[in-house]
Amino acid sequence: MKRAHSLNLPNKLTLLRILMIPLCVLFLLTHQYIIAAVLFITACITDFLDGYIARRQGIVTNFGIFADPVADKILVLSMMITLLYMDMFPWWAVLIVSARELAVDGLRLVAAERGVVIPAGSLGKLKTNAQYASVLSWTLSAPALLSMALAILMSALTAISGIQYFYQARHLLSDGAE
């Protein structure tokens, strides 16, 4: 991988995703669910594209390393919290996602302090896609059974992927890792 200029196409897509978040929330709050869903899907596509382009072109920037996962988390949590506020999303799913994201970010900070980078794993990527699907199902008022099943699946994947991160980095949390 080569270091690249910070305003490359993948980073522009990440910035676009960040700029779309308030619009997704605004249209959701004003009950314009189709527009909110289209914007949310577009934001999700930028998540796929920025990673694909960065890997394909072999470009990495400090901004991308930081901003891409943060943008994903803000997008998902903003939508979930807004849906929760509107009584359209299960509170326990928001709690599981929030707790996992905070815990894994804390673990990554400990790892970074020790010079270790914890990359996103395949289960973490599957978790993100399940979160996207769950948010979309609730946004579009999919059948209740489907939305609840997706929320349960997404919550399980979220919890399991968090446990996996901690298990794989358990050596960083022991006293002997100092």
Side-chain angles (χ1 to χ4, degrees):
M1 293 271 179
K2 60 184 176 184
R3 290 286 175 175
H5 185 270
S6 62
L7 282 179
N8 59 33
L9 181 57
N11 290 345
K12 288 177 184 176
L13 290 169
T14 298
L15 282 173
L16 177 62
R17 183 163 64 258
I18 292 168
L19 293 172
M20 294 174 78
I21 294 168
L23 293 173
C24 290
V25 170
L26 175 67
F27 284 109
L28 195 55
L29 285 170
T30 58
H31 306 282
Q32 298 179 57
Y33 302 116
I34 300 298
I35 297 171
V38 168
L39 287 169
F40 181 74
I41 291 167
T42 304
C44 294
I45 291 170
T46 68
D47 180 30
F48 168 76
L49 286 176
D50 67 18
Y52 175 78
I53 294 168
R55 282 187 300 276
R56 186 164 177 239
Q57 295 180 357
I59 52 177
V60 176
T61 65
N62 289 334
F63 176 81
I65 291 169
F66 167 75
D68 180 60
V70 170
D72 300 344
K73 292 171 188 177
I74 295 172
L75 174 65
V76 166
L77 285 169
S78 294
M79 293 294 285
M80 285 182 182
I81 291 167
T82 303
L83 288 165
L84 175 63
Y85 171 77
M86 299 171 72
D87 292 324
M88 296 173 61
F89 201 84
W91 64 268
W92 47 266
V94 176
L95 181 63
I96 290 168
V97 171
S98 299
R100 184 262 188 212
E101 299 303 350
L102 288 170
V104 169
D105 284 350
L107 178 63
R108 282 194 167 122
L109 286 173
V110 169
E113 183 178 283
R114 296 178 183 194
V116 177
V117 174
I118 301 176
S122 56
L123 188 57
K125 292 175 185 177
L126 181 61
K127 173 258 331 169
T128 299
N129 289 321
Q131 289 175 348
Y132 290 162
S134 182
V135 165
L136 193 58
S137 74
W138 291 90
T139 300
L140 293 174
S141 299
L145 187 60
L146 173 64
S147 292
M148 190 56 70
L150 284 170
I152 291 168
L153 174 65
M154 174 270 304
S155 296
L157 287 171
T158 298
I160 292 167
S161 72
I163 292 166
Q164 179 186 43
Y165 275 103
F166 276 86
Y167 180 77
Q168 291 174 343
R170 65 191 178 281
H171 64 282
L172 296 172
L173 301 175
S174 68
D175 289 334
E178 298 185 302

